[in-house]
Coordinates of all heavy atoms in Angstrom, one line a residue:
M1 N 0.8 -1.2 0.0 CA 0.0 0.0 0.0 C 0.9 1.2 0.0 O 1.8 1.4 0.8 CB -0.9 0.0 1.2 CG -1.8 1.2 1.3 SD -2.9 0.9 2.7 CE -2.8 2.5 3.5
A2 N 0.6 2.1 -0.9 CA 1.4 3.4 -1.0 C 1.1 4.3 0.1 O 0.0 4.4 0.6 CB 1.1 4.1 -2.3
V3 N 2.1 5.0 0.6 CA 1.9 6.0 1.7 C 1.8 7.3 1.1 O 2.2 7.6 -0.1 CB 3.1 5.9 2.7 CG1 3.2 4.6 3.4 CG2 4.4 6.2 2.0
P4 N 1.1 8.3 1.8 CA 0.9 9.6 1.2 C 2.2 10.4 1.1 O 3.1 10.2 1.9 CB 0.0 10.3 2.3 CG 0.1 9.5 3.5 CD 0.5 8.1 3.1
V5 N 2.3 11.1 0.0 CA 3.5 11.9 -0.2 C 3.1 13.4 -0.3 O 2.1 13.7 -1.0 CB 4.2 11.5 -1.6 CG1 5.4 12.4 -1.9 CG2 4.6 10.0 -1.5
V6 N 3.8 14.2 0.4 CA 3.5 15.7 0.4 C 4.8 16.4 0.0 O 5.9 16.1 0.5 CB 3.1 16.1 1.8 CG1 2.8 17.6 1.8 CG2 1.8 15.4 2.3
V7 N 4.6 17.3 -1.0 CA 5.7 18.1 -1.4 C 5.3 19.6 -1.2 O 4.3 20.1 -1.7 CB 5.9 17.9 -3.0 CG1 7.1 18.8 -3.4 CG2 6.2 16.5 -3.3
Y8 N 6.1 20.3 -0.4 CA 6.0 21.7 -0.2 C 6.9 22.4 -1.2 O 8.1 22.0 -1.3 CB 6.4 22.1 1.2 CG 5.4 21.7 2.3 CD1 5.5 20.4 2.8 CD2 4.4 22.5 2.6 CE1 4.6 20.0 3.8 CE2 3.5 22.1 3.6 CZ 3.6 20.8 4.2 OH 2.7 20.4 5.1
S9 N 6.4 23.2 -2.1 CA 7.1 23.8 -3.2 C 6.8 25.3 -3.4 O 5.9 25.8 -2.7 CB 6.8 23.0 -4.4 OG 5.5 23.2 -4.8
T10 N 7.5 25.8 -4.4 CA 7.2 27.2 -4.9 C 7.1 27.0 -6.4 O 7.6 26.1 -7.0 CB 8.2 28.3 -4.5 OG1 9.5 27.9 -5.0 CG2 8.2 28.5 -3.0
T11 N 6.5 28.0 -7.0 CA 6.2 28.0 -8.5 C 7.5 28.0 -9.3 O 7.6 27.2 -10.3 CB 5.4 29.2 -8.9 OG1 4.2 29.1 -8.1 CG2 5.0 29.1 -10.3
I12 N 8.5 28.8 -9.0 CA 9.7 28.9 -9.9 C 10.9 28.1 -9.4 O 11.9 28.2 -10.0 CB 10.0 30.4 -10.0 CG1 10.5 31.0 -8.6 CG2 8.9 31.2 -10.6 CD1 11.1 32.3 -8.7
C13 N 10.7 27.3 -8.4 CA 11.9 26.5 -7.9 C 12.2 25.3 -8.9 O 11.4 24.4 -9.0 CB 11.5 26.0 -6.5 SG 12.6 24.7 -6.0
P14 N 13.4 25.3 -9.5 CA 13.7 24.2 -10.4 C 13.9 22.9 -9.7 O 13.6 21.8 -10.3 CB 15.0 24.7 -11.0 CG 15.6 25.7 -10.1 CD 14.4 26.3 -9.4
Y15 N 14.3 22.9 -8.5 CA 14.4 21.6 -7.7 C 13.0 21.1 -7.4 O 12.8 19.8 -7.3 CB 15.2 21.8 -6.5 CG 16.7 22.0 -6.8 CD1 17.2 23.3 -6.7 CD2 17.5 21.0 -7.2 CE1 18.6 23.6 -7.0 CE2 18.8 21.2 -7.5 CZ 19.4 22.5 -7.4 OH 20.7 22.7 -7.8
C16 N 12.1 22.0 -7.2 CA 10.7 21.5 -6.9 C 10.1 20.8 -8.2 O 9.5 19.8 -8.1 CB 9.8 22.7 -6.6 SG 10.3 23.6 -5.1
V17 N 10.4 21.4 -9.3 CA 10.0 20.9 -10.6 C 10.6 19.5 -10.8 O 9.9 18.5 -11.2 CB 10.3 21.8 -11.8 CG1 10.1 21.1 -13.1 CG2 9.5 23.1 -11.7
R18 N 11.9 19.4 -10.5 CA 12.5 18.1 -10.7 C 12.0 17.0 -9.8 O 11.9 15.9 -10.2 CB 14.0 18.3 -10.6 CG 14.6 19.1 -11.7 CD 16.1 19.3 -11.6 NE 16.8 18.1 -11.7 CZ 18.1 18.0 -11.5 NH1 18.8 19.0 -11.0 NH2 18.8 16.9 -11.6
A19 N 11.8 17.4 -8.5 CA 11.3 16.4 -7.6 C 9.9 15.9 -8.0 O 9.6 14.7 -8.0 CB 11.2 17.1 -6.2
K20 N 9.0 16.8 -8.4 CA 7.7 16.4 -8.9 C 7.8 15.6 -10.1 O 7.0 14.6 -10.3 CB 6.8 17.7 -9.0 CG 6.5 18.3 -7.7 CD 5.5 19.5 -7.8 CE 6.2 20.7 -8.1 NZ 5.3 21.9 -8.1
Q21 N 8.7 15.9 -11.0 CA 8.9 15.1 -12.2 C 9.3 13.7 -11.9 O 8.8 12.7 -12.4 CB 9.9 15.7 -13.2 CG 9.5 16.9 -13.9 CD 10.6 17.6 -14.7 OE1 11.8 17.4 -14.4 NE2 10.2 18.3 -15.7
L22 N 10.2 13.5 -10.9 CA 10.7 12.2 -10.5 C 9.5 11.4 -9.9 O 9.3 10.2 -10.2 CB 11.8 12.3 -9.5 CG 12.3 11.0 -8.9 CD1 12.8 10.0 -10.0 CD2 13.4 11.3 -7.9
L23 N 8.7 12.0 -9.1 CA 7.6 11.4 -8.5 C 6.6 11.0 -9.6 O 6.0 9.8 -9.5 CB 6.9 12.2 -7.4 CG 7.8 12.5 -6.2 CD1 7.1 13.6 -5.3 CD2 7.9 11.2 -5.4
K24 N 6.3 11.8 -10.5 CA 5.4 11.5 -11.6 C 5.9 10.4 -12.4 O 5.1 9.5 -12.8 CB 5.2 12.7 -12.5 CG 4.3 13.8 -11.9 CD 4.1 15.0 -12.8 CE 3.4 16.1 -12.2 NZ 3.4 17.3 -13.0
Q25 N 7.2 10.3 -12.7 CA 7.8 9.2 -13.5 C 7.6 7.9 -12.8 O 7.5 6.9 -13.4 CB 9.3 9.5 -13.7 CG 9.6 10.5 -14.7 CD 11.1 10.9 -14.7 OE1 11.9 10.4 -13.9 NE2 11.5 11.8 -15.6
K26 N 7.6 7.9 -11.5 CA 7.4 6.7 -10.7 C 5.9 6.4 -10.5 O 5.5 5.4 -9.9 CB 8.0 6.9 -9.3 CG 9.6 6.9 -9.5 CD 10.2 6.7 -8.1 CE 11.6 6.1 -8.3 NZ 11.6 4.7 -8.8
G27 N 5.0 7.3 -11.0 CA 3.6 7.0 -10.9 C 3.0 7.3 -9.5 O 2.0 6.8 -9.1
V28 N 3.7 8.2 -8.8 CA 3.3 8.5 -7.4 C 2.3 9.7 -7.4 O 2.6 10.7 -8.0 CB 4.6 8.9 -6.6 CG1 4.2 9.3 -5.2 CG2 5.5 7.7 -6.5
D29 N 1.2 9.5 -6.7 CA 0.3 10.6 -6.5 C 0.8 11.3 -5.3 O 1.2 10.7 -4.3 CB -1.1 10.1 -6.2 CG -1.8 9.5 -7.4 OD1 -1.5 10.0 -8.5 OD2 -2.6 8.5 -7.2
Y30 N 0.9 12.6 -5.3 CA 1.4 13.4 -4.2 C 0.6 14.7 -4.0 O -0.1 15.1 -5.0 CB 2.9 13.8 -4.4 CG 3.1 14.6 -5.7 CD1 3.1 15.9 -5.6 CD2 3.4 13.9 -6.9 CE1 3.3 16.7 -6.8 CE2 3.6 14.7 -8.0 CZ 3.6 16.0 -8.0 OH 3.8 16.8 -9.1
E31 N 0.6 15.2 -2.8 CA -0.1 16.5 -2.6 C 1.0 17.5 -2.7 O 2.0 17.5 -2.0 CB -0.7 16.5 -1.2 CG -1.3 17.8 -0.8 CD -1.9 17.8 0.6 OE1 -1.7 16.9 1.4 OE2 -2.5 18.9 0.9
D32 N 0.7 18.5 -3.6 CA 1.7 19.6 -3.8 C 1.1 20.8 -3.1 O 0.0 21.3 -3.4 CB 1.8 19.9 -5.3 CG 2.8 21.1 -5.6 OD1 3.6 21.3 -4.7 OD2 2.6 21.7 -6.6
I33 N 1.8 21.3 -2.1 CA 1.4 22.5 -1.3 C 2.3 23.6 -1.8 O 3.5 23.6 -1.4 CB 1.5 22.2 0.2 CG1 0.5 21.1 0.6 CG2 1.1 23.5 0.9 CD1 0.6 20.7 2.0
N34 N 1.8 24.5 -2.6 CA 2.6 25.6 -3.1 C 2.6 26.7 -2.1 O 1.6 27.3 -1.8 CB 1.9 26.1 -4.4 CG 2.7 27.1 -5.1 OD1 3.2 28.1 -4.6 ND2 2.9 26.9 -6.4
L35 N 3.8 27.0 -1.6 CA 4.0 28.1 -0.6 C 3.8 29.5 -1.1 O 3.7 30.4 -0.3 CB 5.3 27.9 0.1 CG 5.5 26.6 0.9 CD1 6.8 26.4 1.5 CD2 4.4 26.5 2.0
D36 N 3.9 29.6 -2.5 CA 3.5 30.9 -3.0 C 2.1 31.3 -2.8 O 1.7 32.4 -2.6 CB 3.8 31.0 -4.5 CG 5.3 30.9 -4.9 OD1 6.1 31.3 -4.0 OD2 5.6 30.4 -6.0
K37 N 1.2 30.2 -2.9 CA -0.2 30.4 -2.8 C -0.6 30.3 -1.3 O -1.7 30.7 -1.0 CB -0.9 29.4 -3.6 CG -0.7 29.6 -5.1 CD -1.3 28.5 -5.9 CE -1.0 28.7 -7.4 NZ -1.4 27.6 -8.2
R38 N 0.2 29.6 -0.5 CA -0.2 29.4 0.9 C 1.0 29.8 1.8 O 1.6 29.0 2.6 CB -0.5 27.9 1.2 CG -1.5 27.4 0.2 CD -2.8 26.9 0.7 NE -3.0 26.7 2.1 CZ -3.3 25.6 2.7 NH1 -3.2 24.4 2.0 NH2 -3.5 25.5 4.0
P39 N 1.4 31.1 1.8 CA 2.6 31.6 2.5 C 2.5 31.4 4.0 O 3.5 31.3 4.7 CB 2.7 33.0 2.1 CG 1.4 33.4 1.7 CD 0.8 32.2 1.1
E40 N 1.3 31.3 4.5 CA 1.1 31.1 6.0 C 1.6 29.8 6.5 O 1.9 29.6 7.7 CB -0.4 31.3 6.3 CG -1.3 30.1 5.9 CD -1.8 30.1 4.5 OE1 -1.3 31.0 3.7 OE2 -2.6 29.3 4.1
L41 N 1.9 28.9 5.6 CA 2.4 27.6 5.9 C 3.9 27.5 6.0 O 4.5 26.5 6.5 CB 1.9 26.5 5.0 CG 0.4 26.3 5.0 CD1 0.0 25.2 4.0 CD2 -0.1 25.9 6.4
R42 N 4.6 28.5 5.5 CA 6.1 28.5 5.4 C 6.7 28.3 6.7 O 7.6 27.5 6.9 CB 6.6 29.8 4.7 CG 8.1 29.7 4.4 CD 8.6 30.9 3.6 NE 8.2 30.9 2.3 CZ 8.8 30.2 1.3 NH1 9.9 29.5 1.6 NH2 8.4 30.3 0.1
N43 N 6.3 29.0 7.7 CA 6.9 28.9 9.1 C 6.7 27.5 9.6 O 7.5 26.9 10.3 CB 6.3 29.9 10.0 CG 7.0 31.3 9.8 OD1 8.1 31.4 9.3 ND2 6.3 32.3 10.2
D44 N 5.5 26.9 9.4 CA 5.2 25.6 9.8 C 6.2 24.6 9.2 O 6.7 23.7 9.9 CB 3.8 25.2 9.5 CG 2.7 26.0 10.3 OD1 3.1 26.5 11.4 OD2 1.6 26.0 9.9
V45 N 6.4 24.7 7.9 CA 7.3 23.8 7.2 C 8.7 24.0 7.7 O 9.4 23.0 7.9 CB 7.2 24.1 5.7 CG1 8.3 23.2 4.9 CG2 5.9 23.8 5.1
M46 N 9.1 25.2 8.0 CA 10.5 25.4 8.5 C 10.6 24.8 9.9 O 11.7 24.2 10.2 CB 10.8 26.9 8.5 CG 11.0 27.5 7.2 SD 11.2 29.3 7.0 CE 11.7 29.8 8.6
K47 N 9.6 24.9 10.7 CA 9.7 24.3 12.1 C 9.7 22.8 12.0 O 10.5 22.1 12.7 CB 8.5 24.8 12.9 CG 8.6 26.2 13.4 CD 7.4 26.6 14.2 CE 7.4 28.1 14.5 NZ 6.1 28.5 15.1
R48 N 8.9 22.3 11.1 CA 8.8 20.8 11.0 C 10.0 20.2 10.4 O 10.4 19.1 10.8 CB 7.5 20.5 10.1 CG 7.1 19.1 10.1 CD 5.8 18.9 9.4 NE 5.5 17.5 9.2 CZ 4.8 17.0 8.2 NH1 4.2 17.8 7.4 NH2 4.6 15.7 8.1
S49 N 10.6 20.9 9.4 CA 11.7 20.3 8.7 C 13.1 20.8 9.2 O 14.1 20.1 8.9 CB 11.6 20.6 7.2 OG 11.8 22.0 7.0
G50 N 13.1 21.9 9.8 CA 14.4 22.5 10.2 C 15.1 23.1 9.1 O 16.3 23.5 9.2
R51 N 14.5 23.3 8.0 CA 15.1 23.9 6.8 C 14.3 25.1 6.2 O 13.1 25.1 6.4 CB 15.2 22.8 5.7 CG 16.0 21.7 6.1 CD 16.1 20.7 5.0 NE 16.9 19.5 5.4 CZ 17.3 18.6 4.5 NH1 16.9 18.6 3.3 NH2 18.0 17.6 5.0
R52 N 15.0 25.9 5.5 CA 14.3 27.1 4.9 C 14.1 27.0 3.4 O 13.5 27.8 2.8 CB 15.2 28.3 5.2 CG 15.5 28.6 6.6 CD 16.3 29.8 6.8 NE 15.7 31.0 6.5 CZ 14.9 31.7 7.2 NH1 14.6 31.3 8.4 NH2 14.4 32.9 6.8
T53 N 14.5 25.9 2.8 CA 14.5 25.7 1.4 C 13.3 24.9 0.9 O 12.8 24.1 1.7 CB 15.8 25.1 0.9 OG1 16.0 23.8 1.5 CG2 17.0 26.0 1.2
V54 N 13.0 25.0 -0.4 CA 12.1 24.1 -1.0 C 12.7 23.3 -2.1 O 13.7 23.8 -2.6 CB 10.8 24.9 -1.5 CG1 10.0 25.4 -0.4 CG2 11.2 26.0 -2.4
P55 N 12.3 22.2 -2.5 CA 11.1 21.5 -1.9 C 11.4 20.9 -0.6 O 12.6 20.6 -0.3 CB 10.8 20.4 -2.9 CG 12.1 20.1 -3.5 CD 12.9 21.4 -3.5
Q56 N 10.4 20.6 0.2 CA 10.5 19.8 1.4 C 9.5 18.7 1.2 O 8.3 18.9 0.9 CB 10.2 20.6 2.7 CG 11.3 21.6 3.0 CD 12.7 20.9 3.2 OE1 12.8 19.9 3.8 NE2 13.7 21.6 2.6
I57 N 10.0 17.5 1.3 CA 9.2 16.3 0.9 C 9.0 15.3 2.1 O 10.0 15.0 2.7 CB 9.9 15.6 -0.3 CG1 10.1 16.5 -1.5 CG2 9.1 14.3 -0.7 CD1 11.2 16.1 -2.4
W58 N 7.8 14.9 2.3 CA 7.5 13.9 3.3 C 6.9 12.7 2.6 O 6.0 12.8 1.7 CB 6.5 14.4 4.3 CG 7.2 15.1 5.5 CD1 7.6 14.6 6.6 CD2 7.5 16.5 5.5 NE1 8.1 15.5 7.4 CE2 8.1 16.7 6.8 CE3 7.4 17.6 4.6 CZ2 8.6 18.0 7.2 CZ3 7.8 18.8 5.0 CH2 8.4 19.0 6.3
V59 N 7.3 11.5 2.9 CA 6.7 10.3 2.5 C 6.2 9.6 3.8 O 6.9 9.2 4.6 CB 7.7 9.3 1.8 CG1 7.1 8.0 1.4 CG2 8.3 10.0 0.6
G60 N 4.9 9.7 3.9 CA 4.2 9.3 5.2 C 4.8 10.2 6.2 O 4.7 11.5 6.1
E61 N 5.3 9.7 7.3 CA 5.8 10.5 8.4 C 7.3 10.8 8.3 O 7.9 11.4 9.1 CB 5.5 9.8 9.8 CG 4.0 9.7 10.1 CD 3.4 11.1 10.2 OE1 4.0 12.0 10.9 OE2 2.3 11.3 9.6
T62 N 7.9 10.2 7.2 CA 9.3 10.3 7.0 C 9.7 11.6 6.2 O 9.2 11.8 5.1 CB 9.9 9.1 6.2 OG1 9.6 7.9 7.0 CG2 11.4 9.2 6.0
H63 N 10.5 12.5 6.8 CA 10.9 13.7 6.1 C 12.1 13.3 5.3 O 13.2 12.9 5.8 CB 11.3 14.8 7.1 CG 11.9 16.0 6.5 ND1 13.1 16.5 6.8 CD2 11.3 16.8 5.5 CE1 13.3 17.6 6.1 NE2 12.2 17.8 5.3
V64 N 11.9 13.3 4.0 CA 12.9 12.9 3.0 C 14.0 14.1 2.9 O 15.2 13.8 2.8 CB 12.3 12.6 1.6 CG1 13.4 12.4 0.6 CG2 11.5 11.3 1.8
G65 N 13.5 15.3 2.9 CA 14.3 16.5 2.6 C 13.9 17.1 1.3 O 12.8 17.2 1.0
G66 N 14.9 17.5 0.5 CA 14.7 18.1 -0.7 C 14.9 17.2 -1.9 O 15.0 16.0 -1.8
F67 N 15.1 17.8 -3.1 CA 15.3 17.0 -4.3 C 16.5 16.1 -4.2 O 16.5 15.0 -4.6 CB 15.3 17.9 -5.6 CG 15.7 17.1 -6.8 CD1 14.8 16.2 -7.3 CD2 17.0 17.2 -7.3 CE1 15.2 15.4 -8.4 CE2 17.4 16.5 -8.4 CZ 16.5 15.6 -9.0
D68 N 17.6 16.7 -3.7 CA 18.9 16.0 -3.7 C 18.7 14.7 -2.9 O 19.2 13.6 -3.3 CB 20.0 16.8 -3.1 CG 20.4 17.9 -4.1 OD1 20.1 17.8 -5.3 OD2 21.1 18.9 -3.6
E69 N 18.0 14.7 -1.8 CA 17.9 13.6 -1.0 C 16.9 12.6 -1.6 O 17.1 11.4 -1.6 CB 17.3 14.0 0.4 CG 18.3 14.7 1.3 CD 18.3 16.2 1.1 OE1 17.6 16.7 0.2 OE2 19.1 16.9 1.7
L70 N 15.8 13.1 -2.3 CA 14.9 12.2 -3.0 C 15.6 11.5 -4.1 O 15.5 10.3 -4.2 CB 13.8 13.1 -3.5 CG 12.6 12.3 -4.2 CD1 11.8 11.5 -3.2 CD2 11.8 13.3 -5.0
W71 N 16.4 12.2 -4.9 CA 17.1 11.6 -6.0 C 18.2 10.6 -5.5 O 18.3 9.5 -6.0 CB 17.8 12.7 -6.7 CG 18.5 12.2 -8.0 CD1 18.0 11.9 -9.2 CD2 19.9 12.1 -8.1 NE1 19.0 11.5 -10.0 CE2 20.2 11.6 -9.4 CE3 21.0 12.3 -7.3 CZ2 21.4 11.4 -9.9 CZ3 22.3 12.0 -7.8 CH2 22.5 11.6 -9.1
A72 N 18.8 10.9 -4.3 CA 19.8 10.0 -3.8 C 19.1 8.7 -3.3 O 19.7 7.6 -3.5 CB 20.6 10.6 -2.6
L73 N 18.0 8.8 -2.7 CA 17.2 7.6 -2.3 C 16.9 6.7 -3.5 O 17.0 5.5 -3.5 CB 15.9 8.0 -1.6 CG 16.0 8.4 -0.1 CD1 14.7 8.9 0.4 CD2 16.5 7.2 0.7
D74 N 16.5 7.4 -4.6 CA 16.1 6.7 -5.8 C 17.4 6.0 -6.4 O 17.3 4.8 -6.8 CB 15.5 7.6 -6.8 CG 14.9 6.9 -8.0 OD1 14.2 5.8 -7.8 OD2 15.0 7.3 -9.2
R75 N 18.5 6.7 -6.5 CA 19.7 6.1 -7.0 C 20.2 4.9 -6.2 O 20.8 4.0 -6.7 CB 20.8 7.2 -7.1 CG 20.5 8.3 -8.0 CD 20.8 8.1 -9.4 NE 22.2 7.8 -9.6 CZ 22.8 7.4 -10.7 NH1 22.1 7.3 -11.8 NH2 24.1 7.2 -10.8
A76 N 19.9 5.0 -4.9 CA 20.4 3.9 -4.0 C 19.4 2.8 -4.0 O 19.6 1.7 -3.3 CB 20.6 4.5 -2.6
G77 N 18.3 2.9 -4.7 CA 17.3 1.8 -4.8 C 16.4 1.7 -3.5 O 15.8 0.7 -3.3
K78 N 16.3 2.8 -2.8 CA 15.6 2.8 -1.5 C 14.3 3.6 -1.6 O 13.4 3.4 -0.7 CB 16.4 3.4 -0.4 CG 17.7 2.6 -0.1 CD 18.5 3.3 1.0 CE 19.7 2.5 1.3 NZ 20.6 3.1 2.3
L79 N 14.1 4.3 -2.6 CA 12.8 5.2 -2.7 C 11.6 4.3 -2.9 O 10.6 4.6 -2.3 CB 13.0 6.2 -3.8 CG 11.8 7.2 -4.0 CD1 11.5 7.9 -2.7 CD2 12.1 8.1 -5.1
D80 N 11.6 3.3 -3.8 CA 10.4 2.5 -4.1 C 9.9 1.9 -2.8 O 8.7 1.9 -2.6 CB 10.7 1.5 -5.1 CG 10.9 2.1 -6.5 OD1 10.5 3.3 -6.7 OD2 11.6 1.5 -7.3
S81 N 10.8 1.3 -2.0 CA 10.3 0.6 -0.8 C 9.7 1.7 0.2 O 8.7 1.4 0.9 CB 11.4 -0.2 -0.1 OG 12.5 0.6 0.3
L82 N 10.3 2.8 0.3 CA 9.8 3.9 1.1 C 8.4 4.3 0.7 O 7.5 4.5 1.5 CB 10.8 5.1 1.2 CG 10.4 6.3 2.0 CD1 10.3 5.9 3.5 CD2 11.3 7.4 1.9
L83 N 8.2 4.5 -0.6 CA 7.0 4.9 -1.2 C 5.9 3.8 -1.0 O 4.7 4.1 -0.9 CB 7.1 5.1 -2.7 CG 7.9 6.4 -3.0 CD1 8.2 6.4 -4.5 CD2 7.2 7.7 -2.6
Q84 N 6.3 2.5 -0.9 CA 5.4 1.5 -0.6 C 5.1 1.2 0.9 O 4.3 0.3 1.2 CB 5.9 0.2 -1.3 CG 5.9 0.3 -2.8 CD 4.5 0.6 -3.4 OE1 3.5 0.0 -2.9 NE2 4.5 1.5 -4.3
G85 N 5.8 2.0 1.7 CA 5.6 1.8 3.2 C 6.3 0.7 3.8 O 6.0 0.3 4.9
A86 N 7.3 0.2 3.1 CA 8.1 -1.0 3.6 C 9.1 -0.5 4.6 O 9.5 0.6 4.7 CB 8.8 -1.7 2.5

C-alpha cells in the first residue's frame, strides 16, 4: 500500500519541478502544497523540517528532505520501498 507523499514547493523553484517530475515518473500521487499560494504555511514547514529551502518532501511521516535527498534515495534503490511503506 502506497503511503501519502507531500511536497512543499514554490512555483519557480527548479528543484521543486525536478522532484515532482521524479515522483510523476514513478507514478506517485502526491499532494503539492505551493507556498507561493499558501505563505502562511512557510513557518510551519520550516519548524517541521528544520530547513528554509524548498522543496521539502515527506513520504508518510518520514521527512525525506529536498530533491537531492529524494534523488539519492532513488539512485540507492531505496525510494520505491519507502513509497510502498516498507
Side-chain angles (χ1 to χ4, degrees):
M1 180 173 136
V3 293
V5 177
V6 178
V7 178
Y8 290 88
S9 66
T10 59
T11 305
I12 62 168
C13 164
Y15 291 104
C16 298
V17 171
R18 291 177 70 189
K20 291 184 274 188
Q21 284 175 338
L22 176 58
L23 292 169
K24 284 178 189 173
Q25 287 172 356
K26 294 196 152 291
V28 174
D29 290 328
Y30 60 89
E31 179 182 4
D32 180 23
I33 300 175
N34 187 311
L35 296 176
D36 291 334
K37 297 176 183 173
R38 309 244 349 245
E40 71 277 8
L41 297 178
R42 187 173 289 273
N43 283 336
D44 293 339
V45 174
M46 286 175 21
K47 286 178 188 172
R48 191 172 169 207
S49 68
R51 299 180 180 187
R52 304 177 66 83
T53 59
V54 288
Q56 291 303 318
I57 304 160
W58 274 266
V59 176
E61 295 299 315
T62 302
H63 178 234
V64 171
F67 170 73
D68 290 340
E69 292 86 358
L70 183 72
W71 185 76
L73 280 172
D74 190 42
R75 297 278 297 177
K78 297 178 181 177
L79 182 58
D80 292 336
S81 63
L82 181 62
L83 291 168
Q84 294 304 315

